[in-house]
Amino acid sequence: MNPFWWRDACQAVDHAAIERARARQQQLTKPAGSLGQLETLTLTLAGLQGRERPSLEQVAISIFAGDHGVVAEGISAYPQAVTGQMLRNFVGGGAAISVLARQLGASLEVVDLGTIEPSLQLPGVRHLQLGTGTANFAQQPAMTDAQLQAALQAGRDSAQRAAEQGTQLFIGGEMGIGNTTAAAALASVLLACPARELSGPGTGLDSAGVQHKAAVIERALKLHGLQADDPLRALACVGGFEIAALVGAYLGCAQQGVAVLVDGFICSVAALVAVRLNPQCRPWLLFAHQGAEPGHQVLLEALQAEPLLALGLRLGEGSGAALAVPLLRLACALHGQMATFAEAAVADRPA
């Protein structure tokens, strides 16, 4: 197996399809540009799907879960047992993303990379057991090289399954108590930005808790001596199993030619890592929303991303991305089903 598969070329955008879609847009019964960002989105999707009239009927959602050793530093308002409990909730249909997947008619898979419950065996969950969570990155690297490669491959495998199912849009979600700390640490390295500017309340920390989280991150970054130009080492040292799997999924989707809708803060950090590892993946990443975590806006700006929604969300699970799917579907419907001036016998503006 090629350990450097993530360097492989990503699929090319079909610029001819974009031009065909643009020509159609110019004939629709509306003032030019009047649907704003929705018009840009449909052109983007046309290029990614190679179709003048893109559609988003087949949506696949993959939730990646893993525990974090850094929770031992007191950086979370919730106990680690919640990660495994939420796995039950995902497959039991009671989690937010489970409800949203049903409403969207989307497929939902749950991948357990490694929780503190190594004997956990739940029907409907892919248990990969890379470890009982990551190591405490405030004391040692979060992952071994073998664990990192396995987590990246797990995401790539999900992308492969999605492509084989004819997926038109992939959503990655995450679950892991402590993962906003890992994400903020990664972002701090890659953006050369102080941890205090990227650390937020996560699941509900107060201001003192947020300051403590930032201090733990700063101490860990000094310990590992990480550099922005080595994203893979940063991912191994302060990342998480589920974050690495998201990176692998995003890169795998771009290589397979499947569009990705990126969720919130943690998923955006994974997207940044993916882009740093292989910049060719960037056109395949769409961004669903700007969340409530203070570091998310900084990330979106670094990725030159225009999020579709701003609803103050901080749930994770891929829920913000799922909420944006109806908007994307409506954009495609408007583009594909609206009459042209000729079809509707409506006078166009003079040339």
Side-chain angles (χ1 to χ4, degrees):
M1 184 180 295
N2 176 15
F4 303 108
W5 62 266
W6 43 269
R7 294 176 177 170
D8 293 347
C10 298
Q11 293 291 316
V13 174
D14 188 335
H15 293 284
I18 292 176
E19 292 310 311
R20 293 195 301 272
R22 194 190 312 277
R24 172 173 173 76
Q25 263 186 13
Q26 293 170 351
Q27 297 301 314
L28 299 179
T29 47
K30 61 177 181 59
S34 58
L35 288 176
Q37 195 175 347
L38 298 185
E39 296 188 14
T40 305
L41 281 168
T42 53
L43 294 181
T44 297
L45 289 169
L48 298 181
Q49 294 186 6
R51 300 174 58 188
E52 177 185 327
R53 304 188 195 194
S55 65
L56 294 174
E57 293 143 13
Q58 302 297 319
V59 177
I61 303 172
S62 292
I63 307 299
F64 302 103
D67 273 317
H68 293 258
V70 74
V71 169
E73 301 293 326
I75 47 75
S76 175
Y78 281 79
Q80 278 190 297
V82 170
T83 304
Q85 292 163 0
M86 283 303 298
L87 289 176
R88 293 184 178 89
N89 201 20
F90 291 141
V91 294
I97 192 60
S98 310
V99 174
L100 291 167
R102 286 197 299 274
Q103 293 296 313
L104 296 173
S107 66
L108 176 65
E109 74 164 7
V110 181
V111 183
D112 169 17
L113 285 305
T115 70
I116 59 170
E117 299 181 63
S119 61
L120 193 64
Q121 292 296 326
L122 298 172
V125 175
R126 294 178 181 270
H127 293 286
L128 303 186
Q129 298 177 331
L130 305 186
T132 53
T134 55
N136 181 354
F137 68 65
Q139 298 179 3
Q140 64 188 91
M143 287 175 265
T144 65
D145 288 343
Q147 287 173 324
L148 174 61
Q149 289 297 332
L152 288 166
Q153 184 63 43
R156 184 191 190 191
D157 290 344
S158 286
Q160 179 69 42
R161 288 190 291 272
E164 290 171 353
Q165 295 166 6
T167 296
Q168 296 161 311
L169 186 71
F170 177 89
I171 293 172
E174 39 64 37
M175 177 63 217
I177 296 301
N179 62 6
T180 58
T181 300
L186 271 171
S188 182
V189 173
L190 297 181
L191 299 178
C193 183
R196 64 181 179 274
E197 296 180 18
L198 298 167
S199 299
T203 52
L205 293 174
D206 59 16
S207 58
V210 174
Q211 290 175 16
H212 173 66
K213 177 195 284 192
V216 169
I217 293 171
E218 293 286 5
R219 190 170 78 245
L221 298 187
K222 288 180 182 177
L223 171 68
H224 298 296
L226 301 173
Q227 300 295 324
D229 61 358
D230 195 350
L232 206 61
R233 181 165 182 267
L235 184 57
C237 285
V238 298
F241 292 152
E242 79 280 35
I243 298 174
L246 284 165
V247 173
Y250 294 160
L251 291 168
C253 281
Q255 290 168 346
Q256 293 285 331
V258 177
V260 171
L261 187 56
V262 178
D263 190 40
F265 176 65
I266 295 159
C267 291
S268 295
V269 170
L272 180 63
V273 176
V275 171
R276 292 289 179 86
L277 289 173
N278 187 340
Q280 289 183 18
C281 77
R282 179 60 186 86
W284 293 90
L285 306 179
L286 307 175
F287 291 80
H289 71 107
Q290 180 177 319
E293 281 290 299
H296 198 195
Q297 182 176 353
V298 179
L299 279 165
L300 292 171
E301 289 173 356
L303 287 160
Q304 297 182 308
E306 294 186 30
L308 301 175
L309 306 172
L311 300 173
L313 305 173
R314 57 183 180 90
L315 175 58
E317 303 178 6
S319 56
L323 285 167
V325 170
L327 184 63
L328 287 172
R329 284 177 167 170
L330 288 170
C332 290
L334 286 167
H335 176 81
Q337 299 175 30
M338 190 185 298
T340 64
F341 285 104
E343 290 167 344
V346 172
D348 195 355
R349 67 184 185 281

